[in-house]
Amino acid sequence: MKNTSQSPQGISSDSYYFEKDKTDSILVLGVGNYLMGDESIGVRLIEALSEGSIPEYLDILDGGTGGFLLLDRFQAYGTVIFVDATMDGKPAGTVSQLRPRFASDFPKALSVHDVGLKDMIEAVYLLEHQPDLYLITVSIDHINPMSVEVSPPVKNAIPVAMEQILTLAQTLHKEAQVVGDHL
């Protein structure tokens, strides 16, 4: 397990993602705008994960509203768990897991913090290397511009989503180990 009790280390260079082979690692990429209330749930989940112990095979990244600037991360990793808010009509705080095979499989109501994120996902499927992509969403029912407050139902979803992320990552890692042993 990684000891993340120290402050997360800032990475100032994109080369970090290519300095060592990350294809056997799993990236949890949370996106959202911290200044839009519930819409920030993806980055808040990354923040919460950074406060605990995470397995060595798991990397976490606060993608903010990075859009196309995040494409190189999809090239570097064999598996990406994408975490975002969605306005899908489900009760606020509902945690869902999808395995989108195509960009059209992503919820149409994926959060609106950056229209470029939909385009970025389309671009991922055009890259030479496409990672195994998983999506964890937390349902929200409104966006509060210029607010850092998260509603109680969405805040209460954080431990549920964290557990789902860690369980999915562990399952994927074990499956990769079994496949690797058979090669």
Side-chain angles (χ1 to χ4, degrees), residues 15 17 22 52 59 81 103 105 133 143 153 164:
S15 66
Y17 293 95
K22 297 285 193 177
D59 291 340
I81 300 173
D105 293 339
L133 192 57
I143 294 174
Q164 198 162 6

Side-chain angles (χ1 to χ4, degrees), residues 65-139:
T65 58
F68 285 111
L69 297 174
L70 301 171
L71 274 178
D72 59 347
R73 290 5 177 241
F74 289 92
Q75 284 286 103
Y77 286 86
T79 304
V80 175
I81 300 173
F82 193 72
V83 185
D84 200 1
T86 185
M87 296 180 80
D88 57 6
K90 295 178 183 174
T94 301
V95 178
S96 301
Q97 179 180 321
L98 302 165
R99 183 161 188 212
R101 301 264 185 211
F102 305 99
S104 60
D105 293 339
F106 277 79
K108 295 194 184 328
L110 205 59
S111 66
V112 297
H113 47 251
D114 186 352
V115 176
L117 281 174
K118 288 282 196 181
D119 297 325
M120 186 219 23
I121 296 303
E122 292 278 350
V124 165
Y125 288 103
L126 297 175
L127 296 173
E128 183 177 323
H129 162 77
Q130 294 90 28
D132 288 330
L133 192 57
Y134 296 83
L135 176 64
I136 303 286
T137 61
V138 177
S139 300

Side-chain angles (χ1 to χ4, degrees), residues 5-48:
S5 61
Q6 302 164 0
S7 296
Q9 183 179 24
I11 306 299
S12 61
S13 170
D14 285 342
S15 66
Y16 167 79
Y17 293 95
F18 299 100
E19 288 174 356
K20 77 172 204 173
D21 184 10
K22 297 285 193 177
T23 55
D24 291 332
S25 296
I26 298 171
L27 175 65
V28 179
L29 174 62
V31 295
N33 187 330
Y34 208 80
L35 299 175
M36 299 280 277
D38 288 352
E39 202 276 335
S40 68
I41 191 64
V43 295
R44 293 188 186 258
L45 277 162
I46 297 302
E47 186 177 78

